[in-house]
Amino acid sequence: MTAFSDIPQTPSSHDGVPTALQLKLRRRARTSAAIRYTLLIVVGFIMIYPLLWLVGASFKTNQEIFASPWFWPEEPTFQGYVDGWKTSTPYTFATFFINSMQIVIPKVIGTAISCTLVAYGFARFDFPGKKVLFAILIATLLLPDVVTRIPQYLLFRELGWLDTYLPLFAPAWLAGDAFFVFMIIQFLRAIPREMEEAARVDGANTFQTLIYIVVPILTPAIVSVCLFQFMWTMNDFLGPLIYISTVEKYPVSLALKLSIDATEAFNWNSILAMTVLALTPSLVVFFMAQKSFIEGISTGGVKG
Amino acid sequence: MAELQLKSVEKTYGNGFKAVHGIDLEVGEGEFMVLVGPSGCAKSTTLRMIAGLETITGGEVRIGDQVVNDLVPGKRGIAMVFQNYALYPHMKVTRNLSFGLRLRREPKDKIARSTAEVSGVLEIEDLLDRLPKQLSGGQAQRVALGRALIKQPEVFLFDEPLSNLDAKLRASMRVRITDLHKRLRDEGRPATVVYVTHDQVEAMTMGDRICVMKDGHIMQVADPVTLYERPANAFVAGFIGMPEMNLVPAVLTRGEEAQITIDAQTITLPGVKARLSEVEGPVTFGVRPQHLEVTRPDAKDALTGTITNLEFMGHEVNLHARVGDANVVCVVPTDKFDTTLGRGDLVGLKPRASHVHLFDTQTGENISLPKSQ
Ligand SMILES: Nc1ncnc2c1ncn2[C@@H]1O[C@H](COP(=O)(O)OP(=O)(O)OP(=O)(O)O)[C@@H](O)[C@H]1O
Ligand SMILES: [Mg+2]
């Protein structure tokens, strides 16, 4: 049968032989589908080409990288990966990955816990000053990052946290990302309260209601939050650049830059190879959580 | 099991809106009490205060001999069934049923036994492994009922549990719930029930007693028969009964017998005088459509009106007539209906005097109730 399932299947006439009109309709439907898919494939290819080129080029030799714009390597080689992994420092890339994880994991966990708690409080309880506090929360959302950089730096310096990972993930434990709080609040607002009320009648206290009822229902939203936080933190360059000064503590994002600085003649293929590796965790996590993630950003509530 | 008492209970919402104006209500042990009233009359608010989901801003609520005002819902010995079922979407039916028991850390074998028993009673054994989204509305409501039943609470609270179901299912669920109530009573563990609905059929068929509410006030609490035959005021009279009771402005005069005048037509109501309080002058005259007899125009003690509409209902005909400025509805059994009548014809409508009611125009109070009551 046809590969495109959305082509309308016109019913054939009773004797099984399609009439002229049916043939015409079918041909027209097929032509329009062909055009549609061709267009989609072309645009899709253009958009994904830089990524394809990146992966392909990481297997090329340094000479070949600039020789041809085509992504397919002529003499595929792992040299880029081998050199890149070793780096020009005394440490291998494994160190940098572990460093990244030491930032990302506490940050993601802290974000999930603190943002859920804060959002639950705002969405479900009335307390004095709620309106003002919520306004402040939204205001921080609008505040450009740059504005807070210097005061934050001074604060963390006073605390003696420079050249540690604390400045990078401690704010996340205090629901520092207003955007995520806001996202979960919006999701919660769309969920009817009756389920929580039923749980309270069943004898659950506020905390049990949160753990047994709210969090499971919120899972898609929380997964989305974790995913965003994971990717943004993996990719964050400025934060580590400001606070981390010892090479041994560098996360992947800084380490990539390091390999550009340190070598006189850039080993482009090893840089590209490490870039590919740096992308992988985000991609893997994304594909693992894809189902929940799409549910989280698209429904924002419960089905009827 | 226990009785439930509300003593001048008030509710003022955070925005300053006073939804409940000091109501008193007693529900006896094992009694099925229905709260009924038009939308927005604070039925849900009252129920939610009993449940503890809404703070009580005045008065007190007692369950058994305990004032529960400051107890959390889980400690009040209640169970509640919600309009949209409110099943936990991520738990299978078994776990939905047993959630309360598991929170109480009851032993596993006891939980299993209770679950089996309840699912047997409600015929949901086949559904135990499903998620709520895999259930039909009727099935979901039975699970919700089971979740209430399994806790063996002192008081059951229902907030319009059947209003999301279609008419047929609603009728069968109605029977199921009343049967269950009787069964618990027979088994010697009577359940006190407060059941909110805006459907008067549900109210009349299910309630031992019915509490009619309006704008946060209780209008009357009585058993269905009393409510129908001796409504305490014009609101209850108009709210209970299908089609609605005819309520027509009239002037009452009292000679030998009570007489009322509607739009220059004066008719005598034999036997009514004895049950009247000492009032004369303008009143609201009330008579149910079933208690009007169609006669020829100008018959004695009949009001003359013009037919404006005829509705054929199957076993009966609703006759709409215009008497002066008022619309009057009359229900006639189909086999007694004079088929020569048509729109625009004149008819006589003779009220059955023993079933008419007179209401004070100002307060709406029924001034024609027998003295002994
Ligand atoms: N959270 C609230 N804040 C302010 N006013 C409220 C709140 N909840 C309900 N009300 C008001 O209180 C009144 C009673 O509401 P309630 O929900 O108890 O009515 P109801 O009798 O259950 O109506 P329905 O039959 O439509 O369910 C309504 O006028 C409503 O607008
Ligand atoms: Mg309601």
Side-chain angles (χ1 to χ4, degrees), chain B residues 122-334:
Chain B
L122 292 168
E123 296 164 45
I124 47 176
E125 300 105 321
D126 299 341
L127 310 174
L128 290 177
D129 272 334
R130 298 209 196 162
L131 285 171
K133 67 177 175 214
Q134 298 163 327
L135 300 176
S136 74
Q139 293 168 335
Q141 198 50 284
R142 271 185 285 163
V143 175
L145 205 57
R147 193 172 60 181
L149 209 56
I150 201 169
K151 298 197 313 177
Q152 309 197 334
E154 317 239 334
V155 179
F156 282 92
L157 305 173
F158 292 86
D159 194 355
E160 310 204 18
L162 308 186
S163 53
N164 283 1
L165 307 180
D166 68 55
K168 224 174 187 172
L169 205 53
R170 208 179 304 159
S172 76
M173 280 300 284
R174 217 161 60 204
V175 175
R176 198 185 274 271
I177 292 174
T178 31
D179 278 356
L180 211 56
H181 184 245
K182 286 204 194 85
R183 179 169 165 169
L184 288 175
R185 192 183 281 169
D186 295 343
E187 282 173 9
R189 37 183 184 133
T192 309
V193 175
V194 182
Y195 186 104
V196 165
T197 179
H198 60 252
D199 178 357
Q200 51 161 309
V201 177
E202 266 171 44
M204 298 294 274
T205 54
M206 299 175 84
D208 291 328
R209 284 196 301 156
I210 298 172
C211 166
V212 183
M213 295 184 68
K214 180 196 175 194
D215 298 338
H217 295 278
I218 291 182
M219 304 310 285
Q220 186 173 10
V221 185
D223 60 277
V225 175
T226 309
L227 218 53
Y228 187 77
E229 292 186 341
R230 293 202 299 272
N233 47 55
F235 178 80
V236 174
F239 191 79
I240 303 287
M242 279 288 277
E244 276 178 33
M245 182 188 274
N246 296 300
L247 294 168
V248 184
V251 178
L252 170 68
T253 44
R254 298 196 301 172
E256 288 285 282
E257 288 284 0
Q259 288 190 317
I260 55 149
T261 308
I262 296 168
D263 186 46
Q265 305 183 39
T266 301
I267 58 169
T268 307
L269 301 170
V272 171
K273 189 177 176 188
R275 54 186 168 102
L276 278 185
S277 343
E278 301 292 311
V279 190
E280 259 183 322
V283 291
T284 303
F285 171 71
V287 61
R288 294 197 186 279
Q290 291 82 355
H291 300 147
L292 278 171
E293 189 190 337
V294 177
T295 61
R296 62 193 163 66
D298 304 319
K300 185 173 179 299
D301 293 336
L303 298 162
T304 307
T306 321
I307 299 178
T308 54
N309 198 8
L310 290 167
E311 292 169 335
F312 177 68
M313 306 292 287
H315 62 298
E316 57 195 21
V317 177
N318 291 354
L319 183 151
H320 295 252
R322 175 156 284 276
V323 178
D325 291 333
N327 266 318
V328 175
V329 183
C330 169
V331 172
V332 196
T334 306

Side-chain angles (χ1 to χ4, degrees), chain B residues 48 73 183 223 232 286 338 363:
Chain B
R48 290 166 57 82
R183 179 169 165 169
D223 60 277
D338 175 1
T363 61

